Amino acid sequence: MTALATSKAASHTGDEEAADAPRADCVADSAGGLTFDVTEPGEYEPDDVAYLLLRRRDSDDEVRLPLTPAADGRLRAALPSSVELAEGRWNAFVQVAGGAPRRLMPGLNDLRSLVDRAPSGSRGYVAVRIPYATKQGNLSVRSWLRAPHAEAGEIEIADAVMTVHGRVYGVPLAKDACAEAVRRADPGLVRRAEVTVDGPRFSFALPHGELAESGAGPWDLWLRPEGASGPRVRLARLLDDVADKKAIFTYPALRRETPHGTLETGPYYTNDNDLAVRVREA
């Protein structure tokens, strides 16, 4: 009974702290910019200098955005698409008048402009920023910066073959463009597929079932826009409002008898939203 009472008290205290924590509503624009509206920033006076801080995990990188008064007593900060944000996960804080930074919690996220987003590709790169709630309930921003970028779209599964449709940004597609599956544990082991080109759009069919013949282990998918001798571009799905696709975008798996036992293969998205093929024990 005592332990239960302590647990309830701790939970109640945590709820109170969460209720008093500063929050930020986020609005995304189609160009890749973000606007943050911070509520309850703490001991803030009109003459105080306040900032929204973005700190990249496992790094000393920090971006400091000025907070200015907005409607309804909120403070607003803007992260324009022109401000470079290195690829990774950025934790969000608010700092008022030189005080200690306080972790932000998420409010309402308006990410409608990210759905079916189609950048022009004229900049030669694609910048993506998606605000999301961490497992601890804090606000973070997932950032990607790809130059060039191969966006994976519809994936069709038929028998032992997966057909991937997509679009490339920042580089033209040559007639001899191809796709490659590269075994992650052995980068020298490559399976290649022909690519059908239609302007910046492409598609290819990969017999993913055959990848199981090399045993369990993932294969990463790449596009070679200039052909087999040109540079590789990682296939990924970034241009939408889903920060972590691994558990959300799921596809059927194929079972196959191999010298390594019964294995199953199928496409999946990694923690970085890159496209790969999983090969594992059934």
Side-chain angles (χ1 to χ4, degrees):
M1 293 297 291
T2 303
L4 181 60
T6 302
S7 174
K8 284 185 175 180
S11 174
H12 182 65
T13 301
D15 289 343
E16 289 181 342
E17 291 177 353
D20 295 335
R23 296 178 179 270
D25 296 338
C26 298
V27 179
D29 64 49
S30 59
L34 290 176
T35 300
F36 302 86
D37 278 355
V38 178
T39 62
E40 303 296 334
E43 299 297 327
Y44 175 78
E45 299 294 336
D47 294 332
D48 288 340
V49 177
Y51 294 95
L52 187 141
L53 306 179
L54 295 175
R55 291 176 174 172
R56 188 157 66 107
R57 295 182 196 171
D58 305 318
S59 168
D60 295 329
D61 293 351
E62 180 178 280
V63 173
R64 185 178 293 260
L65 305 172
L67 282 163
T68 56
D72 302 325
R74 299 183 175 201
L75 298 177
R76 177 169 295 172
L79 175 68
S81 59
S82 57
V83 174
E84 186 172 309
L85 203 63
E87 189 157 322
R89 298 177 187 268
W90 295 74
N91 296 330
F93 302 80
V94 62
Q95 184 178 30
V96 176
R102 298 180 65 194
R103 197 73 166 87
L104 278 168
M105 297 186 68
L108 298 176
N109 288 339
D110 184 353
L111 308 181
R112 289 173 293 179
S113 65
L114 300 183
V115 178
D116 297 326
R117 180 183 170 213
S120 66
S122 60
R123 295 179 178 178
Y125 66 89
V126 169
V128 178
R129 294 88 176 264
I130 304 178
Y132 71 99
T134 68
K135 293 179 180 179
Q136 293 75 32
N138 297 313
L139 175 64
S140 290
V141 175
R142 186 69 175 91
S143 174
W144 289 269
L145 191 62
R146 300 286 172 95
H149 169 56
E151 176 75 4
E154 183 181 3
I155 300 176
E156 302 170 1
I157 308 294
D159 297 326
V161 177
M162 58 180 282
T163 302
V164 179
H165 302 269
R167 176 172 177 163
V168 71
Y169 295 88
V171 65
L173 286 171
K175 292 182 179 179
D176 57 347
C178 61
E180 291 182 343
V182 180
R183 186 170 168 84
R184 194 175 299 169
D186 183 7
L189 189 55
V190 178
R191 297 290 182 266
R192 192 165 290 148
E194 294 183 359
V195 166
T196 300
V197 175
D198 181 13
R201 301 187 180 278
F202 63 88
S203 63
F204 63 89
L206 178 70
H208 65 91
E210 296 179 6
L211 304 182
E213 299 302 319
S214 299
W219 294 67
D220 296 320
L221 299 186
W222 299 78
L223 180 70
R224 284 192 180 269
E226 299 174 10
S229 61
R232 285 173 173 165
V233 179
R234 191 72 169 90
L235 272 159
R237 183 161 183 165
L238 309 179
L239 300 177
D240 56 28
D241 60 342
V242 181
D244 293 293
K245 297 179 174 62
K246 189 173 184 179
I248 297 176
F249 287 78
T250 59
Y251 301 92
L254 167 75
R255 288 197 174 192
R256 188 182 184 96
E257 295 297 329
T258 76
H260 309 278
T262 304
L263 300 179
E264 63 179 18
T265 65
Y268 78 103
Y269 286 102
T270 70
N271 290 329
D272 291 326
N273 290 355
D274 293 326
L275 185 59
V277 175
R278 177 186 289 115
V279 181
R280 63 184 179 186
E281 295 182 359

